[in-house]
Amino acid sequence: MNHKTRADQHVAVVILNWNGRDHLETYLPSVLEHSGSEADVWVADNGSTDDSLAWLEENHPEVQTIALGRNWGFAEGYNKALAQLEADVFVLLNSDVRIVSRWINPVLEIMDTHGWSVASPLMVQDTHPALCEHAGAAGGWMDKDGFPFCLGRLFQEVETVDDWHRQNRDVFWASGAALFVRKSAWVEAGGLDGDLFAHMEEIDLCWRLQNMGHRIGCAGQVTVQHLGGGTLQSSSPFKTYLNFRNNLIVMVKNRRGAWPVFAFRRMTLDGIAACRMLSQGQWKQFIAVGKAHGAFYLALPRVLRQRAQLREQAKPGAELVGWWNKSAVWAHFVQGVRRARDLRLPFSDCS
């Protein structure tokens, strides 16, 4: 895949906002400070009812805005915003990400060196920068049951950042909190799946692109800080619903093999997780898992049509880097493995 040189690449950093004036006030100045002349900064507003746009106009008139009119969700919001922009590389940036150093060209340089179509920097916690951040850490992997995990975060266990995390690596998926994606790859994949609304949309994009022969990476030598949970807290039943529903949809869409077999296994594991929630008194979460499975069944005809279309677009024999054909659930909850580096993964270090 031929890419322009770093100096010739036009970059657009796009922050999708929904009632996030507080996050913009806290984090946007750092984006502007460290992006400099290396990128245009845009805020795409998803129909906010707070004073986000008025605040931007008064305090940061240099930031260009796109008013989307209503809340399209994360995935479709970005689809509609990026359709209005011209750039060689898009950076999908969460409104609660703090930039702490020059980052645009350093990530592009690493992407160019390794031939990546999509990448994210190392994600650390904004409140505790010495710790990996849940949403991405040092790059995402996927186990055989469709459970995503990260180098630096295995389920709820997060690690202290060290030199191992700061390596540049090919990965299965890059963090949607600070996602660099070449426009050519974005267009080829058709952008994000708007039907997902939010959660796992970046994993779906990366999986589709890998099946098409693209490479995904984590630029571990570049660090950004992410607050996390800015829109939906981890305890939100709606977030539980989206995660369980979307996980099934993304797996059936993209995974090779007999989908009824791996979907049944995954839904069985979901049922066990739901029963555990119920035993802990989390009945709203339990109901959310049931609703997620019901929504998956309703969406199945559409998902199977997407699966058939994606099979036609896939590159025969495309290698899936970051796919682990074992169970992270078994390793973590039964065998007691706490760190991804102890899973004996087939790493491909490329710093």
Side-chain angles (χ1 to χ4, degrees), residues 28 43 69 92 94 108 130 157 219 256 259 277 322:
L28 180 59
V43 171
L92 284 60
N94 278 18
L108 293 181
E157 301 266 353
R256 303 160 186 169
W259 71 264
M277 294 172 183

Side-chain angles (χ1 to χ4, degrees), residues 167-227:
Q167 299 177 64
N168 303 321
R169 289 190 178 91
D170 281 83
V171 294
F172 192 90
W173 56 274
S175 173
L179 190 75
F180 285 66
V181 55
R182 301 187 190 279
K183 181 180 179 180
S184 56
W186 176 269
V187 171
E188 183 179 352
L192 300 173
D193 183 346
D195 290 322
L196 297 177
F197 189 78
H199 295 292
M200 294 202 64
E201 65 287 319
E202 78 272 39
I203 298 176
D204 173 65
L205 175 65
C206 292
W207 201 337
R208 283 185 280 132
L209 285 171
Q210 278 218 75
N211 282 339
M212 294 175 184
H214 293 262
R215 294 175 61 194
I216 316 298
C218 176
Q221 294 176 345
V222 182
T223 300
V224 301
Q225 298 176 193
H226 183 215
L227 177 63

Side-chain angles (χ1 to χ4, degrees), residues 143-147 244 251 262-277 289 293 327-330:
D143 85 345
K144 69 175 185 178
D145 294 312
F147 285 102
F244 277 82
M251 186 167 58
F262 58 73
F264 176 77
R265 175 182 166 90
R266 174 54 195 266
M267 294 179 81
T268 301
L269 293 172
D270 285 357
I272 295 172
C275 290
R276 183 170 180 268
M277 294 172 183
V289 176
H293 281 197
S327 171
V329 173
W330 180 266

Side-chain angles (χ1 to χ4, degrees), residues 115-136:
W116 295 339
S117 297
V118 179
S120 59
L122 171 64
M123 309 295 297
V124 303
Q125 296 182 21
D126 187 49
T127 52
H128 299 92
L131 297 178
C132 288
E133 215 286 309
H134 188 275

